[in-house]
Amino acid sequence: MTQVSNPRNLTISCLNIVFLFFMMIGTISALSAQGRSPFAVLVLTERGGQHASFTDTGLEWLKNTGEKDGFHITEIHDTEKITAEYLTQFKVIIQLDYPPYKWTEEAEKAFIDYIENGRGGWVGFHHAALLGEFDGYKMWNWFSNFMGGIRFKNYIAKTASATAYVEDRKHPVMKGVNPHFLIPNDEFYVFDKNPRPHVKVLAHVDEDSYQPVSTIKMGDHPIIWSNPKVKARNVYFLIGHSGSLFASKDFTTMFRNAILWAGSK
């Protein structure tokens, strides 16, 4: 005897399909209205260690944000896969605390071409500017110049909270960000020289606001900047030590803005 399906269940199923269809159309329409198409983001991560909470929280945030804003992420833990051809898939590269050393020679060449010729955008965090001789690797001079000609000098070994001040409120990365905001529980790098003469500074930290107080200071201390001398849209955030940053609405707003701005060219 053939069992007859419940008409009510069929109606509910059809309504669910219609609902999902319109949700999909709505997402596509929203992206189109904002002048964006879905795009791919490559995320270079440094797993484990002292930056684990930032990386883990960041990846989860990127996944959720990407679902809303029409981008999807591919994570890699080293540069073995990176070639010029491989990078053609991606509109944005994010260095989520991955350092500027341990790169293969081919990856270095592909990355330089990507940045200098504007084949995509770049967003870097914290450890991406650990420039110098580390772990037996020589300093990558091109990357130092890209970051404003700097070399790592020192840092606040114990993390501190501090107040940052936006310098260019009209820059797309700073859209919707408060004029000044708290950076919680982070590790502030000090460099051998100020990158300001060679980059566009978007925000600086008030070193007198460090809590706990620190004697390790730089004076004029940029913490967010962009290098307008290359074709790729790019922004570097000196902050990025702890996952607690993602509780800051100002930080997540800047991060989202940075991805969409870097990926829109």
Side-chain angles (χ1 to χ4, degrees):
M1 181 175 174
T2 303
Q3 185 175 3
V4 179
S5 298
N6 188 326
R8 183 175 181 275
N9 290 339
L10 287 173
T11 300
I12 292 172
S13 297
C14 290
L15 288 173
N16 286 337
I17 291 171
V18 171
F19 175 76
L20 290 172
F21 173 77
F22 280 104
M23 282 286 289
M24 180 180 69
I25 294 299
T27 300
I28 294 172
S29 298
L31 289 171
S32 298
Q34 297 168 28
R36 296 199 304 271
S37 299
F39 61 96
V41 176
L42 179 65
V43 185
L44 266 167
T45 62
E46 182 183 55
R47 289 290 201 159
Q50 60 182 328
H51 300 133
S53 69
F54 180 79
T55 302
D56 294 344
T57 308
L59 285 169
E60 185 64 24
W61 180 87
L62 282 166
K63 180 181 177 183
N64 293 335
T65 304
E67 289 175 356
K68 299 172 186 175
D69 285 320
F71 64 83
H72 63 273
I73 64 171
T74 297
E75 180 195 6
I76 57 175
H77 309 304
D78 56 47
T79 64
E80 295 294 326
K81 289 183 177 180
I82 294 180
T83 63
E85 183 179 0
Y86 182 74
L87 293 183
T88 60
Q89 307 172 69
F90 304 103
K91 292 283 287 183
V92 180
I93 297 172
I94 298 176
Q95 273 181 250
L96 204 64
D97 274 349
Y98 194 85
Y101 57 89
K102 300 192 296 186
W103 292 55
T104 68
E105 185 176 342
E106 185 171 12
E108 287 185 0
K109 291 178 180 178
F111 183 76
I112 291 170
D113 174 67
Y114 187 91
I115 297 297
E116 289 187 344
N117 293 300
R119 305 194 189 284
W122 177 86
V123 182
F125 289 94
H126 196 47
H127 217 188
L130 189 66
L131 289 152
E133 288 74 33
F134 295 95
D135 301 332
Y137 292 88
K138 293 181 179 180
M139 185 169 80
W140 185 358
N141 289 320
W142 179 90
F143 207 105
S144 172
N145 291 331
F146 174 46
M147 288 286 93
I150 57 175
R151 175 189 286 264
F152 173 87
K153 183 179 179 181
N154 207 340
Y155 68 106
I156 300 174
K158 292 182 179 179
T159 59
S161 297
T163 301
Y165 287 83
V166 176
E167 295 192 20
D168 186 354
R169 296 189 64 187
K170 293 183 179 180
H171 194 282
V173 170
M174 294 302 171
K175 183 179 180 181
V177 178
N178 286 307
H180 56 85
F181 53 90
L182 180 70
I183 300 170
N185 189 37
D186 220 288
E187 181 185 71
F188 294 89
Y189 288 171
V190 174
F191 302 104
D192 65 332
K193 64 186 71 171
N194 196 322
R196 186 181 291 275
H198 308 291
V199 297
K200 171 65 176 176
V201 176
L202 304 183
H204 69 271
V205 64
D206 176 6
E207 294 180 322
D208 291 333
S209 69
Y210 287 147
Q211 291 295 329
V213 174
S214 174
T215 58
I216 301 172
K217 295 183 178 181
M218 189 170 154
D220 174 26
H221 198 158
I223 56 164
I224 305 171
W225 65 79
S226 178
N227 185 339
K229 297 175 184 177
V230 295
K231 290 184 179 180
R233 287 181 173 176
N234 64 89
V235 61
Y236 170 70
F237 294 85
L238 184 146
I239 52 180
H241 182 82
S242 169
S244 60
L245 259 179
F246 288 89
S248 166
K249 175 66 173 175
D250 288 299
F251 173 72
T252 55
T253 297
M254 289 186 294
F255 195 175
R256 176 180 178 270
N257 288 346
I259 296 168
L260 298 181
W261 173 67
S264 64
K265 187 174 181 179

